[in-house]
Amino acid sequence: PGGVCGGVGAGMTDIRTLIIRPARPADLDACAAVEAACFPPEQAADRESIRRRIAAYPAYILVGETAGEVVGFAMGPVIDRETIQDEMFAHTDCHNPQGPYQSVFSLAVRPDCQRRGYGRKLLEALIAKARREGRRAVTLTCRERKIAYYESFGFRKLGVAQSVHGGVVWYDMLLPL
C-alpha cells in the first residue's frame, strides 16, 4: 500500500473521496495486504482464501478506494444460517445468493487509514445492499473489544460464538433488517 492515508498531509484524506465498489480479481494483492495488516496470522484469511472469495462472490466484497488505492473492504458471503460457522471460512460453497443472511467475514481498513470513517462507510454499504436484496439480517462474529462498535450500527449481541477461529473468544452479533 502506498501513502494515500499516512505521512505528510494525512489529515487531508476526506471520507467523501471514498469510492465503494465490488471487488475485482486485480484487488487481490491489496485486499490480502489489508487483511494481513489488520488481523493476527492465525485469524487473517490468507491470499488464496481471499482469491477464492473474490472469484466466488465479488459482489459481496465491497472494496473502498481513495486516490486509486484500496484502503479497506467489507466482505462476506450470503449464507443460510443466522450465525457464522468456522467451516465457512475455508469454503466458498457456503455462499447462497438467495440466502436470508448477509455475513461479514471481515471488515478491514489499512492501519494508516483507520479512524477516518472508512470502515463505517464500508459496513453501511454492505448493510444497505443486504436491505435492497431483502435479506433477513446481517450476521458477524467479533472480538469483545469490538462489540460496542457493532452495536453502534444496531447489531445486537447474541452471546459467545461457537467459533474457535484463531484460538480466541468470539461473539455472535446480528442486525435484523
Side-chain angles (χ1 to χ4, degrees), residues 96-117:
N96 172 8
Q98 282 70 51
Y101 300 100
Q102 173 64 59
S103 72
V104 182
F105 277 12
S106 186
L107 174 62
V109 173
R110 279 182 14 199
D112 65 322
C113 296
Q114 291 175 2
R115 305 225 181 278
R116 289 175 168 79

Side-chain angles (χ1 to χ4, degrees), residues 43-119:
Q43 296 170 22
D46 62 25
R47 187 176 186 281
E48 180 56 22
S49 294
I50 294 171
R51 187 199 63 73
R52 287 193 310 269
R53 292 172 187 176
I54 291 172
Y57 46 85
Y60 300 94
I61 302 171
L62 299 183
V63 170
E65 68 176 36
T66 188
E69 291 186 29
V70 172
V71 296
F73 57 83
M75 76 163 64
V78 176
I79 59 176
D80 293 321
R81 300 189 60 166
E82 187 177 75
T83 58
I84 296 168
Q85 307 302 304
D86 282 350
E87 62 271 9
M88 294 176 179
F89 293 117
H91 305 285
T92 58
D93 61 358
C94 66
H95 176 63
N96 172 8
Q98 282 70 51
Y101 300 100
Q102 173 64 59
S103 72
V104 182
F105 277 12
S106 186
L107 174 62
V109 173
R110 279 182 14 199
D112 65 322
C113 296
Q114 291 175 2
R115 305 225 181 278
R116 289 175 168 79
Y118 295 152

Side-chain angles (χ1 to χ4, degrees), residues 7 12 15 18 20 33 36 59 64 78 115 124 137-139 142 163 167-168 171:
M12 302 305 291
I15 188 66
L18 186 71
I20 298 175
V78 176
R115 305 225 181 278
E124 286 171 346
V138 178
T139 184
C142 69
S163 177
V168 297
Y171 291 84

